[in-house]
Amino acid sequence: MLRKHRNHAEQTMASGSHAGRRKFETSTIKERAEEYFPEMVEIRRDIHRHPEIGRNEVRTSALIRKKLEEYGVDAIERPVPTAVVALIHGARGPGRCVALRCDIDALPVQEETGLPYTSENPGIMHACGHDMHASMMLGAAKILCGMRERFAGCVKLIFQHSEDTLPGGAKELVEKGVLENPHVDAIYGMHVLPDAHRAGQVGFHIGPITTSVDLFDFTVSGRGGHGSQPQNTTDPVLAAAQMIVMMQQIVARRVDPMEMAVFSLGSIHGGDAPNVIPAEVKFGGVTRAYSESVRSVIKEQVQAIAKGIEAASGNTVHIHYADGYPSAFNDKELMDLAAEAVRKELGEDAVVPMPDPMPFSEDFSFYGKLGGIPSAYLMLYAGHEGELAPLHNPKCAVREDVMPAGIRTLVSIALEFLK
């Protein structure tokens, strides 16, 4: 059940002077974002110092709940132990519901940034910017709580657990009904992106914006033996090698050259001595695509190749194929609305058309695919402290001074959708 809270913003306004109320009601998003920026930096650094892996975000989610209560959201829900969902109702009456989503989990990475607020948890780091995501969303929550008079309907804030750990927290939340009560009409997400030149601008791309991701592991089992007598073995090493070569041909010969597909082998293990043919070889990797049709072709061809090698080599091939995240798709109408909101709030130069989608995957895709609602995913160019390092790198350190731009982006989009 949703836990109701008194409207903190209304309490403050009721107790203040008429002049104070008028100043608060007429203040701009920019003014509020700049005023709250020091607090959001403090929150961000607190979360960064204490990173938590997916489904273990106990301290992080508790901090988020505490802040949301302080800001005066109308309701707080905890659909799973480490996720937080909040509602902010507009004062103009009933209307549509827009969801804003951020992720809050960290990665199993040993931090090497040298920042004064570096991770205090060995082997765990916010190397993907989720600490920034959570802090910016809290900033947006605080502003929206003070701007209820400017919109009808409601904003649903989803602080999602376990984005970086399969099967992903988004799927779990959708299955638990996070997009209902009230029903969500559209959902937006945003991810920081390290960049050597841009900081505080927002990237827009219509259509597929992230790839799907599927993981596979193969075990080739048969009869091993002495390296001098290969005829008495089924040679799982040779069978595995043949499979690997043939599967690389899937992208080259089974996928339309105009489509995007990735098939990467990341591990292979078999044998302990050069003169002994092992009885078992294991290998695995990852596949990515933008379209579901290509994703299906890869899966079908992998299984067909495995069956063919089994028949030809006399080995047994066991496949563990883990369906990961689908590709996220950006709805054109939502993207146009967001671009207009960002232009009004941050200026024309803040809107950056992205010629290509991103090569990584994100479980944000489940909200649109499973929930059956339009979705849009934006990229916040976040500069970098020192030499540029990519996401998931131990030296990744995006700039905090882009946070006001991110907060203003989230708030302006919500208000534009609900105006």
Side-chain angles (χ1 to χ4, degrees), residues 17-28:
S17 66
H18 176 74
R21 291 198 303 271
R22 183 180 177 187
K23 180 179 183 296
F24 193 87
E25 290 170 355
T26 60
S27 62
T28 65

Side-chain angles (χ1 to χ4, degrees), residues 203-270:
F204 290 80
H205 183 83
I206 296 171
I209 182 63
T210 66
T211 70
S212 62
V213 59
D214 297 311
L215 306 179
F216 63 87
D217 286 290
F218 293 95
T219 301
V220 182
S221 303
R223 186 170 61 254
H226 200 288
S228 67
Q229 297 176 309
Q231 74 278 9
N232 295 328
T233 75
T234 56
D235 200 345
V237 173
L238 178 59
Q242 290 171 327
M243 285 183 64
I244 291 167
V245 172
M246 292 184 70
M247 286 190 293
Q248 291 299 320
Q249 298 175 21
I250 296 174
V251 174
R253 291 295 178 266
R254 296 292 183 175
V255 175
D256 187 326
M258 301 304 291
E259 295 275 9
M260 178 273 191
V262 172
F263 190 100
S264 297
L265 180 68
S267 68
I268 183 167
H269 306 278

Side-chain angles (χ1 to χ4, degrees), residues 32-248:
R32 293 279 73 81
E34 291 176 350
E35 178 183 347
Y36 301 152
F37 176 53
E39 180 187 359
M40 298 310 132
V41 169
E42 183 180 347
I43 293 171
R44 185 260 169 149
R45 293 185 178 187
D46 187 340
I47 295 174
H48 192 91
R49 285 192 188 98
H50 305 95
E52 297 170 304
I53 297 295
R55 293 187 168 78
N56 292 282
E57 309 96 329
V58 176
R59 186 184 186 281
T60 305
S61 60
L63 173 61
I64 290 168
R65 288 196 303 274
K66 177 184 176 183
K67 290 298 177 180
L68 290 172
E69 289 172 356
E70 289 179 9
Y71 301 157
V73 299
D74 293 300
I76 295 177
E77 181 184 25
R78 191 171 67 174
V80 299
T82 59
V84 184
V85 179
L87 289 180
I88 303 173
H89 292 290
R92 293 188 176 182
R96 296 192 294 175
C97 177
V98 63
L100 303 177
R101 172 269 196 181
C102 73
D103 34 21
I104 66 174
D105 58 318
L107 288 161
V109 173
Q110 180 63 46
E111 184 163 355
E112 298 176 9
T113 62
L115 294 170
Y117 48 91
T118 193
S119 170
E120 296 177 6
N121 295 343
I124 306 176
M125 175 193 175
H126 272 292
C128 200
H130 296 184
D131 52 335
M132 292 271 284
H133 298 172
S135 304
M136 290 188 296
M137 188 108 108
L138 285 172
K142 189 169 185 176
I143 293 175
L144 287 167
C145 281
M147 292 186 169
R148 286 182 169 90
E149 294 296 331
R150 303 189 188 186
F151 66 94
C154 73
V155 181
K156 183 175 286 191
L157 305 173
I158 302 174
F159 294 82
Q160 182 208 303
H161 65 305
S162 191
E163 185 277 321
D164 269 314
T165 307
L166 289 174
K171 185 174 186 289
E172 185 176 14
L173 291 183
V174 173
E175 291 172 345
K176 288 185 175 294
V178 75
L179 299 179
E180 302 300 330
N181 302 315
H183 174 72
V184 172
D185 295 292
I187 185 168
Y188 284 91
M190 185 170 67
H191 203 297
V192 294
L193 196 63
D195 194 273
H197 307 290
R198 292 192 175 102
Q201 295 170 288
V202 185
F204 290 80
H205 183 83
I206 296 171
I209 182 63
T210 66
T211 70
S212 62
V213 59
D214 297 311
L215 306 179
F216 63 87
D217 286 290
F218 293 95
T219 301
V220 182
S221 303
R223 186 170 61 254
H226 200 288
S228 67
Q229 297 176 309
Q231 74 278 9
N232 295 328
T233 75
T234 56
D235 200 345
V237 173
L238 178 59
Q242 290 171 327
M243 285 183 64
I244 291 167
V245 172
M246 292 184 70
M247 286 190 293
Q248 291 299 320

